Amino acid sequence: MEPSIFHTFSYSKQVDYSVLSGGGFTIPTYLVPLLWEAMGMTLKHGERIKARIRIGEKVFEVQLINQAFDRNKYKNHPDVIQIRYSPSGELSQYLRTIFHESYSYIISEKEKRVGKTQVKVPEELAEEIIFSITSIDNEFRLDCIPLKAKSVAMTQLRGYEELQFEDLVDSIIENIPDQSASLFERSGIVRYRKINHEINTTLKNLYDYRCQITGERTGEKYNTNVVEAHHLEYFTKSLNNDSSNIIIINPSFHRIIHQCNPVFNINELQFEFPNGVIEKLKLNKHLRS
C-alpha cells in the first residue's frame, strides 16, 4: 500500500536537463521554511541524509542535502536544499523514459549548440514533476506529468471557471455526489491537483488565520476565523498547485478577485485592478518577490 501524501508541501517543477541527467533538483529557497515546517525537521548547513523518492509503486534511493557552500563568500545567502541522485542511476533512467519528449528535445538542442548552454524546453512541450511529502519519514513522492497527461487535463478543464472548479473538487473530496466527479477522478485531475486542503491549513497557520491583504482576522469579532486560499495563477489555466502559487485572503477579496481578474504583480506583491486600484499584500512569509 502506498503511504499517505501530506499535502502540507507541494512543489512542481518543469522537467529540465538536471532532473533527467544532472542528478537532481533544488528546492527554491523561499519554499524551504515551508518544507522544514511540513517535515518537522531541519538539516544543518552541509548536512545530508538518505531519503527515498516514490513514483507509484517504485521507490528510489536519493539524498536530501543542505549544500555546504562557502558562507564566508556568500554571507547572506539562505541555505540551498537539494534532492540528489545519480545521473546514471535507476531514477534518472526511469525519468528519462517517462519524459521522453523533454529528454529528446534537450539532447537534440544540446547537440546543436556549442559549450554548456542551458536548454529550456518551450512551454508547448513542457512536462512537469510534482514533489510532495508522504507519511513515511524521509520518503517523498514524485507525480510525473508527461505532455500527454497535461494535454488531457487542460482539455477536460476547458470551460470551467476557477471558483466553479474549486467547488466541484471540494465536493469530490467531501464525497458529495456530483455528475462531473467521476470524470475528474478517472482522468487523474484530482490527484494531479493534490487538492490543497492541507496546504491551505499550513499556510493559514503560517499567517495565524490573517488575510495577507488586510492583515486582519475576518470573523474575529464573532470568535471565529474565516480565510480562504486563492491560486494566483488560476489552476484551471495553469495546473499550478504549488504552495508558492497560493495566498490566504478573506472571502470578500477572494470573490472580488475572481470577479475583476486583477493582475498580480509578484515583484511588488500587489494586485493591480483594471480600474486602477492597487491592493498590496501586508503580510508575506512564503512568496518570492
Side-chain angles (χ1 to χ4, degrees):
M1 178 182 294
E2 292 187 27
S4 301
I5 303 168
F6 285 177
H7 300 301
T8 50
F9 180 88
S10 178
Y11 166 55
S12 64
K13 173 179 173 56
Q14 182 174 326
V15 171
D16 56 17
Y17 184 75
S18 180
V19 169
L20 299 177
S21 297
F25 55 92
T26 300
I27 304 297
T29 55
Y30 61 93
L31 287 180
V32 170
L34 283 180
L35 174 65
W36 292 150
E37 181 174 342
M39 292 184 66
M41 61 163 288
T42 60
L43 291 184
K44 297 178 182 178
H45 186 72
E47 185 179 1
R48 63 179 63 201
I49 60 172
K50 292 182 179 180
R52 294 168 300 280
I53 287 285
R54 176 180 290 272
I55 304 177
E57 296 293 333
K58 294 182 178 292
V59 179
F60 304 90
E61 299 296 321
V62 298
Q63 288 192 323
L64 178 63
I65 300 174
N66 187 336
Q67 280 287 358
F69 62 83
D70 187 344
R71 279 186 162 170
N72 291 321
K73 186 175 181 180
Y74 304 101
K75 293 183 179 180
N76 297 318
H77 199 289
D79 285 339
V80 176
I81 309 302
Q82 295 181 319
I83 300 293
R84 303 292 295 174
Y85 42 88
S86 170
S88 59
E90 291 184 4
L91 178 53
S92 294
Q93 294 178 36
Y94 189 62
L95 290 173
R96 288 197 289 271
T97 300
I98 295 174
F99 297 113
H100 56 88
E101 300 269 5
S102 290
Y103 187 63
S104 297
Y105 178 87
I106 291 169
I107 295 304
S108 175
E109 289 299 308
K110 287 182 77 68
E111 289 175 350
K112 298 176 186 176
R113 305 179 188 185
V114 179
K116 297 182 179 180
T117 305
Q118 184 176 1
V119 176
K120 181 174 176 58
V121 178
E123 185 64 31
E124 63 270 17
L125 297 178
E127 301 180 297
E128 298 175 19
I129 55 173
I130 303 176
F131 175 79
S132 305
I133 295 173
T134 76
S135 55
I136 298 177
D137 287 347
N138 302 331
E139 181 167 306
F140 306 100
R141 173 165 171 166
L142 277 189
D143 280 298
C144 299
I145 314 297
L147 191 61
K148 183 177 180 180
K150 188 174 181 180
S151 176
V152 169
M154 291 304 296
T155 298
Q156 293 180 345
L157 287 173
R158 191 172 296 136
Y160 278 92
E161 296 294 334
E162 183 76 1
L163 283 176
Q164 178 191 17
F165 177 72
E166 288 179 0
D167 289 342
L168 171 60
V169 177
D170 283 347
S171 74
I172 298 172
I173 297 301
E174 295 167 7
N175 296 315
I176 300 172
D178 187 285
Q179 61 182 359
S180 302
S182 61
L183 169 65
F184 287 116
E185 288 176 325
R186 287 198 306 272
S187 68
I189 289 177
V190 173
R191 181 174 64 87
Y192 185 128
R193 178 171 180 176
K194 298 193 177 305
I195 187 64
N196 54 7
H197 286 284
E198 292 184 27
I199 294 176
N200 294 354
T201 299
T202 298
L203 291 174
K204 288 174 182 178
N205 285 328
L206 182 66
Y207 290 99
D208 195 23
Y209 284 79
R210 294 180 184 273
C211 172
Q212 287 184 246
I213 295 176
T214 66
E216 300 173 352
R217 291 193 191 93
T218 303
E220 188 171 28
K221 175 181 177 181
Y222 308 99
N223 196 30
T224 189
N225 297 307
V226 183
V227 285
E228 297 178 351
H230 170 71
H231 286 76
L232 295 171
E233 292 183 283
Y234 290 173
F235 178 81
T236 51
K237 307 299 182 187
S238 67
L239 299 178
N240 182 355
N241 200 45
D242 278 15
S243 306
S244 59
N245 190 43
I246 298 171
I247 65 168
I248 301 303
I249 54 179
N250 71 48
S252 294
F253 270 121
H254 198 184
R255 270 66 185 164
I256 290 169
I257 287 169
H258 281 284
Q259 284 287 329
C260 300
N261 292 310
V263 172
F264 185 73
N265 185 329
I266 188 64
N267 295 318
E268 300 296 330
L269 294 176
Q270 63 189 26
F271 286 99
E272 299 170 355
F273 286 79
N275 67 351
V277 172
I278 291 176
E279 293 288 357
K280 193 174 182 66
L281 299 189
K282 289 186 177 180
L283 303 177
N284 176 45
K285 297 182 180 181
H286 78 290
L287 295 179
R288 173 181 55 186
S289 60

